[in-house]
């Protein structure tokens, strides 16, 4: 073998050793497991963030607010970065060194986009540029997402990165009703929209629809005014319309969703009730619901009642007082008259004056003959139950001569109609019940009744109060 060949082989050997030596040395070390996200984390030389800002829905529950405060403290302790907590309605500054964490169903665009088709129990943890979307449409789903974040991801949060790249999670729950569609689109893509500068009663109606959908179907629809709606989703729109005849409600399907309209609020509630019944029926029958450019009309009767109270001044001439009261009754034409401080003689004389217009059904009331009312039950010497209007759009009226009791309410027949309670003011104590709102109360001797009503069911307006004569307008505001 020549010297040249030997030199050539030595050179090749040295080169091979140089290349393979690092690998040979690595084989002699222990084979340690990598942390789950170590290879995905940002490099240590990346600039630290100056602030983590947690953004919370202004309508969140107190439970979620407390959880957000705890999250703020834990994240700051983990990363060494200060944390701020703000509502989504607050004006805040944004710089490249601030990371926002949208916790739950905020009004921010990133939240809306990420949770567009979410239902009640769905949630996610997703990083979008420098914005972290964490939670779901309901507060319960957001709390579940927060617990999972603590278990899986909090320990990896740093001053340079709140999440390792590609990390996060998405959870879809199972539901008894798999899918509901309107016009071929998933119900989750719809918002409930109400008129700009709407009334409190309209807002209550919209919220009631939102809650019924959530409770019965687990779909969690957003609620917003017409001014906030930017047509980025479908909508269920509740609105007044002067084009719709009185006593008629419309359900109109179009490319944007559905419009529920009528001339008055009660009519809109009738449209909402019919729409919701059809929606649930379509689930059971698997029929297509919401064909575009179709209109459904629903006829209804609006039930209003004028309640009057008469108080006879014992210091004045009885006949003159009764004549004056009769003149007031004829000029105002109330539907139901209460006369609790009349003597039997005074009552008989007054009834002779008005017997061509009114009937008497109890010891203290006169009811107008042409009003759609019927006596349902005499529950005792001082308690009478009436139904005003029909079974679909009417309401119940309970007249009591003393403080209402829980036993009295328990004895009422079961009906799917709201209840208005008219109570004698001679009772010594005020009545409190979580199921009823005190609509009207006065300590005046010249007022012979006070009112309690089921919440969000009635509109009561005092139309007149004059020398012992008082008249109120009572209107049922919602059929839903």
């Amino acid at each position: 073998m020549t010297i040249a060949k030997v030199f050539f082989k030595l050179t090749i050997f040295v080169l091979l050793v140089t290349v393979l030596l690092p690998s040979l040395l690595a084989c002699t070390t222990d084979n340690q497991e990598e942390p789950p996200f170590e290879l995905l984390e940002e490099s240590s030389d990346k600039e630290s963030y100056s602030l983590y800002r947690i953004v919370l829905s202004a309508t969140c529950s107190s439970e979620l607010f407390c959880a957000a405060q705890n999250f703020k403290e834990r994240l700051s302790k983990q990363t060494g970065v200060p944390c701020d907590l703000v509502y989504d309605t607050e004006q805040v500054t944004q710089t490249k060194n601030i990371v926002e964490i949208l916790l739950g169903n905020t009004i921010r665009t990133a939240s809306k986009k990420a949770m567009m088709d979410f239902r009640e129990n769905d949630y996610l943890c997703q990083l979008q540029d420098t914005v972290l979307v964490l939670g779901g449409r309901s507060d319960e789903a957001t709390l579940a997402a927060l617990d999972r974040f603590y278990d899986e991801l909090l320990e990896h949060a740093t001053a340079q990165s709140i999440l390792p790249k590609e990390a996060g999670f998405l959870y879809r729950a199972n539901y008894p009703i798999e899918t509901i569609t309107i016009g071929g689109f998933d119900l989750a893509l719809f918002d409930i929209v109400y008129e700009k500068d709407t009334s409190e009663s309209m807002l209550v109606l919209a919220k009631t629809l939102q809650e019924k959908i959530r409770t019965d179907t687990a779909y969690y629809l957003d609620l917003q005014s017409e001014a906030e709606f930017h047509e980025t989703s479908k909508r269920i729109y509740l609105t007044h319309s002067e084009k719709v005849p009185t006593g008629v409600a419309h359900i109109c399907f179009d490319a944007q969703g559905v419009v529920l309209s009528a001339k008055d609020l009660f009519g809109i509630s009738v449209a909402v009730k019919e729409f919701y019944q059809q929606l649930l029926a379509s689930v059971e029958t698997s029929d297509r619901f919401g064909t575009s450019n179709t209109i459904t009309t629903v006829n209804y009767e609006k039930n209003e009642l004028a309640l009057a109270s008469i108080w006879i001044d014992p210091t004045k001439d009885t006949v003159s007082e009764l004549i004056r009261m009769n003149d007031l009754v004829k000029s105002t034409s109330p539907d139901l008259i209460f006369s609790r401080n009349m003597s039997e003689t005074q009552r008989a004389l007054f009834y002779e004056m008005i017997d061509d217009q009114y009937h008497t059904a109890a010891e203290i009331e006169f009811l107008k003959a042409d009003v759609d009312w019927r006596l349902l039950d005499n529950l005792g010497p001082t308690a009478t139950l009436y139904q005003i209007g029909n079974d679909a759009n009417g309401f119940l009226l309970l007249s009591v001569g003393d403080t209402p009791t829980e036993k009295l309410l328990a004895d009422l027949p079961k009906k799917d109609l709201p209840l208005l309670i008219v109570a004698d003011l001679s009772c010594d104590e005020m009545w409190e019940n979580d199921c009823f709102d005190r609509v009207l109360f006065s300590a005046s001797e010249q007022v012979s009744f006070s009112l309690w009503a089921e919440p969000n069911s009635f509109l009561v307006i005092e139309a007149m109060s004059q020398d012992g004569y008082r008249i109120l307008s009572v209107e049922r505001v919602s059929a839903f």
Side-chain angles (χ1 to χ4, degrees):
M1 182 180 298
T2 64
I3 295 176
K5 289 183 178 180
V6 173
F7 182 79
F8 175 77
K9 289 182 178 181
L10 287 173
T11 302
I12 294 299
F13 177 78
V14 171
L15 291 174
L16 288 172
V17 171
T18 303
V19 172
L20 296 175
L21 184 58
S23 299
L24 294 172
L25 291 174
C27 292
T28 63
T29 61
D30 294 333
N31 187 17
Q32 297 179 347
E33 183 179 351
E34 299 284 348
F37 298 107
E38 183 176 341
L39 296 179
L40 301 174
E41 292 181 351
E42 301 287 349
S43 61
S44 59
D45 59 349
K46 183 179 177 181
E47 182 180 356
S48 297
Y49 290 112
S50 61
L51 180 69
Y52 283 131
R53 178 189 293 138
I54 301 171
V55 181
L56 197 61
S57 170
T59 59
C60 73
S61 65
S62 58
E63 184 180 7
L64 182 54
F65 178 77
C66 292
Q69 289 181 311
N70 181 50
F71 182 34
K72 167 185 170 182
E73 295 173 1
R74 292 183 65 171
L75 185 60
S76 181
K77 182 179 179 180
Q78 167 68 25
T79 62
V81 177
C83 281
D84 194 13
L85 179 60
V86 300
Y87 286 122
D88 55 358
T89 52
E90 296 181 42
Q91 295 292 332
V92 292
T93 58
Q94 182 66 42
T95 71
K96 65 179 182 179
N97 291 327
I98 296 178
V99 171
E100 282 197 336
I101 304 167
L102 307 183
L103 187 61
N105 191 23
T106 75
I107 61 176
R108 300 291 179 84
T109 302
S111 293
K112 299 296 184 185
K113 183 179 179 181
M115 304 177 191
M116 181 174 292
D117 62 344
F118 272 21
R119 293 172 71 174
E120 183 178 16
N121 298 318
D122 303 338
Y123 62 76
L124 86 166
C125 176
Q126 183 182 88
L127 191 61
Q128 300 181 5
D129 296 327
T130 58
V131 176
L132 178 66
V133 182
L134 177 62
R137 288 202 169 192
S138 69
D139 287 353
E140 294 77 10
T142 300
L143 291 169
L146 195 53
D147 287 340
R148 184 168 172 180
F149 180 86
Y150 291 150
D151 293 340
E152 299 179 8
L153 298 172
L154 179 61
E155 64 179 308
H156 304 288
T158 67
Q160 294 81 29
S161 174
I162 191 169
L163 274 190
K165 289 180 180 178
E166 309 300 330
F169 49 76
L170 172 64
Y171 173 76
R172 298 279 190 174
N174 294 320
Y175 301 98
I177 301 176
E178 290 187 4
T179 306
I180 299 179
T181 61
I182 300 178
F185 294 93
D186 194 326
L187 181 59
L189 301 177
F190 285 74
D191 293 338
I192 299 173
V193 181
Y194 52 87
E195 297 168 321
K196 180 182 178 182
D197 301 324
T198 193
S199 66
E200 181 64 28
S201 296
M202 174 72 92
L203 187 57
V204 168
L205 176 61
K207 288 180 177 179
T208 302
L209 176 60
Q210 180 192 43
E211 180 61 21
K212 282 285 291 180
I213 290 175
R214 186 196 68 80
T215 302
D216 296 343
T217 71
Y219 278 91
Y220 203 96
L221 275 57
D222 284 333
L223 187 67
Q224 56 185 307
S225 74
E226 183 181 13
E228 299 167 332
F229 183 68
H230 300 297
E231 299 186 359
T232 55
S233 61
K234 300 292 182 178
R235 53 93 176 95
I236 302 170
Y237 183 33
L238 281 55
T239 182
H240 290 83
S241 174
E242 291 299 323
K243 297 180 181 180
V244 182
T246 301
V248 176
H250 277 180
I251 303 173
C252 306
F253 295 96
D254 56 25
Q256 196 60 39
V258 58
V259 179
L260 309 177
S261 62
K263 192 179 292 292
D264 53 67
L265 179 62
F266 186 77
I268 298 172
S269 75
V270 170
V272 170
K273 180 179 180 180
E274 180 67 21
F275 164 78
Y276 193 64
Q277 290 175 343
Q278 290 186 22
L279 181 66
L280 294 185
S282 70
V283 176
E284 296 178 359
T285 60
S286 300
D287 293 337
R288 179 180 174 86
F289 178 64
T291 305
S292 186
N293 300 319
T294 61
I295 299 177
T296 300
T297 61
V298 187
N299 296 319
Y300 67 93
E301 296 178 5
K302 185 178 179 182
N303 287 290
E304 297 178 87
L305 195 69
L307 301 180
S309 70
I310 292 175
W311 184 83
I312 302 298
D313 190 340
T315 65
K316 296 181 180 180
D317 178 70
T318 296
V319 175
S320 298
E321 278 288 276
L322 291 177
I323 292 174
R324 185 173 68 86
M325 292 300 172
N326 182 47
D327 290 341
L328 288 170
V329 166
K330 288 183 177 180
S331 64
T332 56
S333 191
D335 301 305
L336 181 58
I337 305 171
F338 291 82
S339 55
R340 296 187 186 274
N341 82 320
M342 282 187 183
S343 66
E344 291 186 12
T345 302
Q346 292 170 339
R347 180 178 174 79
L349 181 57
F350 185 70
Y351 186 52
E352 289 181 7
M353 296 179 180
I354 63 171
D355 62 352
D356 61 332
Q357 302 177 60
Y358 292 86
H359 295 304
T360 179
E363 296 181 358
I364 54 176
E365 296 113 12
F366 300 99
L367 293 105
K368 201 170 184 181
D370 59 357
V371 173
D372 183 11
W373 64 271
R374 62 182 180 273
L375 177 65
L376 292 183
D377 203 349
N378 281 311
L379 300 172
T382 62
T384 310
L385 182 67
Y386 304 95
Q387 178 172 319
I388 310 299
N390 58 36
D391 291 339
N393 305 322
F395 60 91
L396 303 180
L397 187 148
L398 175 64
S399 172
V400 293
D402 203 343
T403 306
T405 64
E406 304 304 322
K407 182 181 184 307
L408 178 63
L409 295 179
D411 291 340
L412 295 178
K414 303 299 181 183
K415 271 188 170 291
D416 295 328
L417 292 174
L419 176 64
L420 182 75
I421 299 175
V422 184
D424 191 346
L425 267 181
S426 62
C427 56
D428 296 329
E429 59 182 286
M430 290 302 301
W431 180 61
E432 298 292 341
N433 186 292
D434 293 338
C435 297
F436 291 87
D437 291 334
R438 190 178 73 191
V439 180
L440 179 74
F441 176 78
S442 174
S444 170
E445 291 182 352
Q446 297 186 5
V447 178
S448 62
F449 61 79
S450 54
L451 299 181
W452 285 270
E454 291 189 48
N456 308 318
S457 298
F458 298 95
L459 176 65
V460 179
I461 300 174
E462 185 174 60
M464 176 183 176
S465 181
Q466 175 182 317
D467 295 332
Y469 185 78
R470 189 182 198 187
I471 188 166
L472 304 168
S473 171
V474 177
E475 175 185 345
R476 184 179 172 187
V477 296
S478 179
F480 186 62

